[in-house]
Amino acid sequence: GYHVAAELQGLEVGASAEVHFASLDIYFEASMPLDQSSGLQLTRFEITNIGHIDVSVSGLGPLDWILGKLVGAIADTVKGWIIPLIEGPIKDILQDIIDDMMPPIPAKIHF
């Protein structure tokens, strides 16, 4: 979510917004060398589709509902511009999760 607040002469007004994606389709490829040089690495990551984007606004009284609908409609219209903004950060988060979950790779297997 996102929260913003403004104060004027001791009176504070705040609003927040929360965004929900109905669906998010991704495609990725990963590789891992057979030696111990590195673990599993995402080599390709793409968001191929974003479903309907729902935006909920609160803190503005009667304007909450209409602004949520307006911003959601705008977000649905500019999905193509949103994808490049979120693709990199999501790829980085997934790579960090993979790095934390992968067990150490043994140096050699002796038979």
Side-chain angles (χ1 to χ4, degrees), residues 4-46:
V4 64
E7 185 177 338
L8 180 63
Q9 296 180 350
L11 180 63
E12 184 174 310
V13 177
S16 62
E18 194 168 300
V19 179
H20 296 275
F21 297 97
S23 64
L24 184 68
D25 298 331
I26 63 169
Y27 173 83
F28 69 91
E29 295 175 5
S31 66
M32 186 168 98
L34 296 177
D35 60 13
Q36 205 176 9
S37 61
S38 67
L40 187 68
Q41 297 294 309
L42 291 175
T43 55
R44 185 172 171 189
F45 181 85
E46 298 173 10

Side-chain angles (χ1 to χ4, degrees), residues 15 42 50 59 92 106:
L42 291 175
I50 294 179
D92 294 342

